[in-house]
Structures are given as structure tokens and as C-alpha cells.
Amino acid sequence: MAEKIKQLEFNLAPERKIWSVAELTSRISGLLVTQFSNIWVEGEVSNFHPATSGHLYFTLKDAKAAVKCVCFRSQAMRLKFRPEDGLKLIVRGSISVYEPRGEYQIYVEHIEPAGVGALQLAFEQLKKRLEAEGLFDEARKKPLPLLPRRIGMVTSPTGAAVRDIVRILRRRFPSRHLILYPVRVPCDGSSCEIVAALKYFNRKKMVDVILLARGGGSIEDLWAFNEEAVARAIAACTIPVVSGGGHENDFTIADFVADVRASTPSAAAEIVVKSREEFQRHLRELEHKISQRTRYLLLEYRHHLKELTTHIGFRRLEDLLRRHRQQTDELTSRLGLALEGRIERLRHRYTIAGTRIASFDLRARIRTFSLRLIQRSTELGTRMERFMVGKIQRLERLQLQLEERSPLRVLQRGYAICTDAAGNVVNATEQVAIGAEINVQLARGRLGAEVLRKEIPRE
């Protein structure tokens, strides 16, 4: 009975299950994905940092807690604005566990700002950034031409803006050339078409001014004119750009970057081309200003001339002329006397030089030099002959001494010179071995020999 009780107690003990860290993390991740998918979370952004891969990492927090979030590149590319620290957001996504660190985080699929529209926030962010770069500065904006001959227009060919512009231009100056580059506004991808149109006009240089016109609408309809690519294309354009919105209260990024902003397309056309009456009125004003300025200058010059005529210098002008005439006569007379004296001195010097030349017997001098040259040549020949005789006698003495000291004279008395195979002179028996070949130089000819025996002298 006691053994049965012990067996029962042993079976009632709980069974212990040991989990690995990976198993536990995987189980928690599965539960979170199942229970917390497609949820909306609101919080303030902190620790925002975009990765080079295009993914966005940040933390959502409130007064009591915080949770990490990641928005992958495919979702981040669809955002109209850019999250930043301190911005309050509403995100939609699912919760899972990042197993290498054991941290749970929200995988964000959609982001929208809390309390303000995403497009409006994107507009404010881009406006602030471009303004900091100086794209809105008045100093960089170009002046409009006074009367453009060719006008480029970038707008929809079927909208009301193009009809208003054509009507205004025909009424003001029908002879102006209007070149239309059609774009689809509003439409997806219309910003790319606007950039292409601006680059085309800037590259071809066929127009004097560009009208960037559009109709009115919501911020979504006008969003193509809020794209950063359009703003930078306007800033890079060397041709003046006039932006004309559909309504007076419609402002876009293109309006701030453009050289001139018009409230409507019609106002843009009126800004670009003034009416004939305005030009005529302007010409009349210029004519009146020129006339007034001319009359004023004539009066001023007449008054100045009158002052000059009453000046003491004009009253004494005749006296000054007579004085200068008399001084001129005196200087002319002095100049004539000086020239006559100079000519007389030159004539005297010429006479003296002629007398000296006539008295100089050039032929006698030449004969003297010839005799001197012959005498010097004879002396030089005598000296050279003596010099050569002395050198020849010295050469004969040296030759006689050389023959007396030559080793060949010794050989003629019966002596010989013995050399080994290498040409070295043999003067001792130790330098050669039995059987070695040696050469013997005689007074007449040379012998080749072989050493058969050696006699070493006694010391």
C-alpha cells in the first residue's frame, strides 16, 4: 500500500519543459503577429535615423512608454513627407519580435502626421529646406525682358489656362510667337513632364521667357508644382520663369522659386507682355522726360557760355594772341640764326676732313706694309728652319739611345727571352713544371719548346 502511495505522488509531480531562447522568442513573435496585426499607434518621433539602404528607423513614445519602429524602403518611398524628431505621427502596421536582440517593434506599413495632412507637412518641410538653400532669394531671380519676341508656355493644352493666355496675348501684341510644350496637369508623373519641358526650353534657347501656368484646384491637384525636382529645374533655368496659378490664394513651391509669381494665368500673360497702350504711354513719358532734360541742359550750357564770354580771359584774348604772335616771330628768327651757325660749323669740319684725306698717301702706306710683311715672312721661315733642324737632331739622338737600350741588342749577343704559355717572362725554374710548354724569343724568330728537366740552383 505504501509503495502505491509513493507511485501516486510521483505521477502527480508537474513535468518540467525547458525552452531554448530561440524557441521562446519565436513563440512570442508568433503570438504578437497573430494578436497585433494591422494596428494603429500614435506617438511622438524620437531617435529618427534613415539607413543607407532606404529603411527608416525611429521610436514612437508618449509620456509613459516607447516602442521601436522600422519602415522599410518600399513603404518609405511612397511617403510625401519625411518623419523627424519631435513630430507626432499615427502609424499602421504589425508587431513582431526582432529575434537577434529579443526586442519587439512595429513594422510600419503606413504613416500619416497627427493633426495635419501629409501633403501639407511635406509642403512645409520642402519649403523650409529650399528657403534655407537660398532658392527663394530675390537676388538670384532674373529680370523679365521688356518685350519678348518668343514666349514659351508649359501647361495643359486642353485647360482653361492656355485659352486665357492666348486671349490676352492676341489682344495685347498679336505678333508675339507663343510656343507651347504640353504637359498633363494634374496627372501622375506630370512633374517629370514639367521638368522635361523646362530643360527643353533652357537647352534650345528658343524663347525669351517661360510661362508655367496651371488651373486651380486642391493641394493634391497642384502637387506636381510642389515637387522638389520642379523647383530645382526652375532654379537651374537660365531663362526667366513666370508662374501663374489658378487662383490668387493658391501658392506652390514653384511660385516661390520662379522669378515672378502671378496670381492667375491671365495675370501672368499681362506681366510678360505689356499692352500697346502701356508702351505708348511709357514712350510718351520717356519723350517728355528727355525733352525736359534737354531744355534744362540747353539752359545750363547757355548760362555757362554767357559766363565764359564775360570772363576777363576773353577780354584779353586779342592781347594774348598778339603777344604769342610776337614771341613766335622771335623764336623763328633765333631758330634761323642757330641753323645758319650750325651749317657753317659743319662746312668747316668738312673742309678740314677733305684736306686731311687729300694729304694722306694710301699707296705709300700699302708699299711700306708690303715690305714689312715680306721681311717678317723671311724671318719666320728662317726661324722655322732652325727649329726643325734642332728637332730632327734631337730625334736622331733619342733613336740612337733607344736602339742601344733595346733588349733586341742583347738577344743579338746570344741571349734569349723565355715566356710561359700565358706570355709571362720566366726567370726562375719554379715558374714552370716538367712537360710545360714555353716560348723562347731569339734575336731573329721565336721557338716553341717543352720542359724536359729542371735544375734548381744551389743556395
Side-chain angles (χ1 to χ4, degrees), residues 417-433 435-441 446-451:
I417 299 173
C418 180
T419 59
D420 59 11
N424 300 319
V425 177
V426 177
N427 51 20
T429 58
E430 292 85 357
Q431 294 182 242
V432 294
E437 293 183 359
I438 58 175
N439 296 318
V440 180
Q441 178 68 43
R446 177 180 295 180
L447 299 177
E450 180 179 352
V451 179

Side-chain angles (χ1 to χ4, degrees), residues 176-187:
R176 300 302 94 186
H177 294 281
L178 182 63
I179 302 175
L180 174 65
Y181 192 109
V183 294
R184 296 174 296 170
V185 179
C187 180

